[in-house]
Amino acid sequence: MTDLETPVAPPRAGPVWGRAAPALLGYAAVRALGLVTLAVWSAARDKSPHQLLSARWDSLWYTRVAEFGYGYEVRLPNGDVHSNLAFFPLLPWLERAFAAVTPLSYADAGLLVSALASLAAAWGIFAVADHVYGSRAGICAVLLWAVLPVGIVQSMAYSESLFTALAAWSLYAVLTGRWLTAGLLASLAGLTRPVGAAVVAAVWVAAIASFVRERSVPAQTGAPRWRRAPAMLLAPLGAAGYVLWVGHHTGKGPLGYLDVQAGWRNGFDGGYAFARFVADKFTSFPSALAGLALIIGVGLLVWLYVICVRQRQPLPLLVYAGVVTALALCASSYFGSKPRLLLPAFPLLLPPALALARLRTSRSAWVLGGLAVASAAYGAFWLNGSGPP
């Protein structure tokens, strides 16, 4: 069994901000490199980096919700109906709030929310990794999250950074026994993306496991226990509230949100459609190389998760990472979006972060520096090409 609340690393002294500062400075430097590279690349292709970050793909849907509310839809020639009800409301609510109190447009407010949320996410990832493995592993985990190939999404007016921030701090609250905070943050995560179910699952499983483990503790130490029940009630309220509202709004009942997703040809089929997508790659060459790369990528994810289990990561991290990964890989469409959908699964980065932390500082710096350059170049190439659907 994995330990729920006892950290692997020894207790650390000093303020949280002081320990997190190197990670946040390094994260900001990586993101700045990515943005500068995008600006240069886009200028060479006569494109606007601002538009690529704030006014294409999903960011357009979010800003439309912020400006006009829900009810907009696009009917495609093949009969599909793309409704903005598919997009959860917390990000557009924040865009509207920032636009109301500043001279920023809704799109620029989205960029500001994303920038602030990405720093909060980096801090949350550090807090979790620092709690489990120590500050060096925490710094490496944050930098690995920053240098992911699709890391540029962290700087876009998308909801991944906001969701990761809420998820990371909710998990940290669970690890440190702050149950009400964990439940509230899980509820907010559920208002951000459908994958908020992963945070809810982590809170529920951790609370149940903690209660079962401690049921023999004397009554006088049980004062904090009652907070687990409200936390478990709070955690699903955000996602459940929005899903039920969509069902009422569309007149299709509690499952109305599934109909909205079906209009986007999106759903959960256990990975069958993705498996067929990968198999179809092997019908010709060179697409077979892409199919092989996809198989290797999925195998790498599974391998990382197995290592997480073997390293006895705390139970809430294992539950959260497992659900995020399963939901991303088993979605029935938008296969090009899967790397982006996996961005919040930061516990999978803890094994390589721990390995980097054990290296000499100069070696880990060279590794992370090389990855940062590669990530910046790929992000600029990606956004100027197909981009994140």
Side-chain angles (χ1 to χ4, degrees):
M1 293 293 292
T2 55
D3 191 351
L4 177 62
E5 294 180 4
T6 303
V8 176
R12 291 157 297 282
V16 175
W17 166 254
R19 295 199 304 273
L24 297 182
L25 290 173
Y27 177 81
V30 173
R31 292 272 45 85
L33 175 63
L35 293 175
V36 169
T37 304
L38 175 64
V40 173
W41 198 299
S42 301
R45 294 177 60 86
D46 197 25
K47 291 186 177 182
S48 167
H50 179 269
Q51 182 181 23
L52 294 175
L53 293 170
S54 66
R56 290 187 69 187
W57 305 293
D58 288 5
S59 57
L60 287 174
W61 290 89
Y62 283 119
T63 55
R64 182 177 286 276
V65 172
E67 187 171 3
F68 301 110
Y70 286 105
Y72 176 78
E73 62 183 27
V74 175
R75 295 182 177 273
L76 303 183
N78 66 355
D80 291 347
V81 178
H82 289 185
S83 168
N84 64 0
L85 290 169
F87 296 88
F88 277 49
L90 186 57
L91 175 58
W93 284 350
L94 292 175
E95 290 177 344
R96 181 180 297 177
F98 275 92
V101 299
T102 69
L104 296 175
S105 66
Y106 292 105
D108 288 337
L111 289 179
L112 177 60
V113 171
S114 182
L116 296 175
S118 67
L119 288 172
W123 195 355
I125 292 170
F126 172 83
V128 170
D130 177 46
H131 180 81
V132 178
Y133 293 125
S135 60
R136 281 181 63 88
I139 294 171
C140 291
V142 169
L143 295 179
L144 282 174
W145 190 65
V147 303
L148 289 172
V150 295
I152 190 64
V153 174
Q154 298 162 18
S155 299
M156 298 179 68
Y158 271 44
S159 61
E160 273 75 12
S161 291
L162 178 61
F163 175 79
T164 305
L166 294 168
W169 284 108
S170 179
L171 292 171
Y172 180 73
V174 170
L175 293 175
T176 54
R178 297 174 173 89
W179 292 102
L180 292 178
T181 300
L184 177 60
L185 292 174
S187 184
L188 291 174
L191 280 171
T192 308
R193 298 187 62 81
V195 75
V199 191
V200 176
V203 172
W204 272 61
V205 171
I208 293 171
S210 178
F211 178 79
V212 170
R213 189 182 68 247
E214 297 177 4
R215 60 184 175 179
S216 60
V217 175
Q220 63 267 24
T221 64
R225 291 189 201 173
W226 68 268
R227 297 190 179 97
R228 295 170 192 157
M232 294 174 70
L233 292 174
L234 273 174
L237 288 184
Y242 180 68
V243 168
L244 291 175
W245 178 83
V246 170
H248 175 74
H249 182 77
T250 59
K252 296 183 178 180
L255 300 181
Y257 183 77
L258 298 180
D259 290 336
V260 171
Q261 286 285 10
W264 287 79
R265 293 186 179 270
N266 201 11
F268 186 88
D269 65 357
Y272 175 73
F274 184 47
R276 288 192 58 183
F277 174 78
V278 174
D280 289 343
K281 295 292 183 182
F282 290 93
T283 59
S284 63
F285 187 86
S287 67
L289 297 177
L292 181 61
L294 288 171
I295 292 175
I296 293 173
V298 173
L300 177 61
L301 290 172
V302 174
W303 178 63
L304 284 173
Y305 190 78
V306 170
I307 294 178
C308 291
V309 174
R310 288 180 175 175
Q311 290 183 346
R312 301 175 61 83
Q313 276 190 18
L315 181 60
L317 300 188
L318 294 176
V319 171
Y320 169 76
V323 175
V324 170
T325 303
L327 290 176
L329 294 181
C330 296
S332 59
S333 64
Y334 295 97
F335 306 117
S337 297
K338 293 191 183 296
R340 171 173 66 86
L341 299 178
L342 286 163
L343 264 179
F346 69 88
L348 296 179
L349 299 175
L350 295 186
L354 185 59
L356 281 173
R358 290 169 175 165
L359 296 177
R360 291 191 304 183
T361 302
S362 58
R363 289 187 177 181
S364 58
W366 276 108
V367 171
L368 290 168
L371 291 174
V373 171
S375 174
Y378 179 76
F381 166 78
W382 190 42
L383 286 197
N384 279 277
S386 61

